[in-house]
Amino acid sequence: MQNYLIKNASIVNEGRTFSSDLLIKNGRIEKIAPQINCTEAVVEINAEGLHLLPGAIDDQVHFREPGLTHKANIFTESRAAVAGGITSFMEMPNTVPNALTHELLEDKYQIAAQSSLANYSFFMGTSNNNADEVLKTNDRKKDVCGIKIFMGASTGNMLVDNYLTLDKIFREAEVLIATHCEDEKVIKRNLDALQGIELTPQHHPVIRDVEACFESSFSAIQIGR
């Protein structure tokens, strides 16, 4: 593996910007210091006048694999992520089929192991009737970034509106829970008020409005407490 020595960069880290050198060995940052001299073979990069930033983490991506690869896949999207400075991603479960079992979740990990150019993790998906399967993530805390609950029908059959399911997962899960919060009753009311009107993209924030988000988020907070 090639080693790199980046010289005279304006490094942005931990709330500070400072001029320094940075040594990368075996794919990892080995040293940061005002002046680094290497006796071993390295590729030296002069970064004078340039900023060097830590890789970012994107905690919600849709990479469309499996099932929707006519749009994108883990390889193409991780390549785009790395090109934009994103070195780690957490991917959503609403692929086809939805990642509602650990067997299907593992399929995504196996694909990423072969094709991802960035660090990766995948959310476990939730439906109204897979709470026991979801809670198996308690045994996979080291590699599953969290549980995704769609408390709003943005993804078809992954809407979770069964209170007993929500209560069980919030009560017993030991990993991060990420929620998509849009109240279905508010959305339906807003849609009914637009009957007879040809809907356009501009109607999206009218249908899925602030109240829809607030009501659903409030329910999630209540259950969580």
Side-chain angles (χ1 to χ4, degrees), residues 84-134:
I86 305 296
T87 55
S88 303
F89 65 82
M90 304 177 189
E91 207 260 355
M92 293 288 110
N94 51 319
T95 39
V96 179
N98 300 149
L100 297 175
T101 69
H102 279 272
E103 182 179 2
L104 291 170
L105 187 65
E106 186 59 32
D107 287 345
K108 298 175 81 168
Y109 276 91
Q110 292 303 316
I111 295 168
Q114 298 298 318
S115 64
S116 179
L117 299 178
N119 303 316
Y120 55 85
S121 189
F122 297 91
F123 281 92
M124 178 68 189
T126 307
S127 70
N128 271 330
N129 54 18
N130 77 332
D132 289 336
E133 184 75 7
V134 168

Side-chain angles (χ1 to χ4, degrees), residues 23-221:
L23 176 64
I24 299 172
K25 292 182 65 176
N26 300 317
R28 293 183 177 274
I29 295 173
E30 175 82 8
K31 185 178 182 181
I32 299 174
Q35 187 170 7
I36 301 175
N37 296 309
C38 280
T39 56
E40 56 196 289
V42 295
V43 175
E44 187 169 312
I45 300 171
N46 181 13
E48 187 173 0
L50 302 176
H51 286 82
L52 180 61
L53 284 74
I57 299 171
D58 194 331
D59 63 2
Q60 181 178 338
V61 302
H62 298 272
F63 282 1
R64 309 305 184 189
E65 188 173 11
L68 298 166
T69 51
H70 60 287
K71 298 182 178 182
N73 59 45
I74 290 172
F75 170 71
T76 63
E77 303 314 281
S78 66
R79 181 173 61 179
V82 170
I86 305 296
T87 55
S88 303
F89 65 82
M90 304 177 189
E91 207 260 355
M92 293 288 110
N94 51 319
T95 39
V96 179
N98 300 149
L100 297 175
T101 69
H102 279 272
E103 182 179 2
L104 291 170
L105 187 65
E106 186 59 32
D107 287 345
K108 298 175 81 168
Y109 276 91
Q110 292 303 316
I111 295 168
Q114 298 298 318
S115 64
S116 179
L117 299 178
N119 303 316
Y120 55 85
S121 189
F122 297 91
F123 281 92
M124 178 68 189
T126 307
S127 70
N128 271 330
N129 54 18
N130 77 332
D132 289 336
E133 184 75 7
V134 168
L135 290 170
K136 292 178 183 178
T137 55
N138 289 345
D139 298 323
R140 297 188 61 178
K141 290 191 283 287
K142 289 185 178 180
D143 70 318
V144 176
C145 56
I147 297 164
K148 181 69 175 187
I149 302 179
F150 289 92
M151 296 174 65
S154 72
T155 54
N157 65 351
M158 291 191 72
L159 169 65
V160 183
D161 56 5
N162 184 326
Y163 178 81
L164 294 178
T165 299
L166 293 169
D167 180 71
K168 183 177 179 65
I169 292 173
F170 272 85
R171 187 182 302 277
E172 299 181 26
E174 298 174 7
V175 299
L176 172 78
I177 297 173
T179 59
H180 176 106
C181 288
E182 292 179 309
D183 186 84
E184 289 296 302
K185 292 180 181 178
V186 175
I187 292 172
K188 184 179 184 304
R189 184 196 69 198
N190 292 340
L191 276 170
D192 289 344
L194 295 172
Q195 287 294 324
I197 298 175
E198 182 180 354
L199 298 180
T200 69
Q202 284 68 35
H203 288 102
H204 184 275
V206 177
I207 297 166
R208 297 173 181 267
D209 63 6
V210 171
E211 184 182 355
C213 296
F214 177 84
E215 289 297 329
S216 184
S217 300
F218 184 61
S219 294
I221 291 170

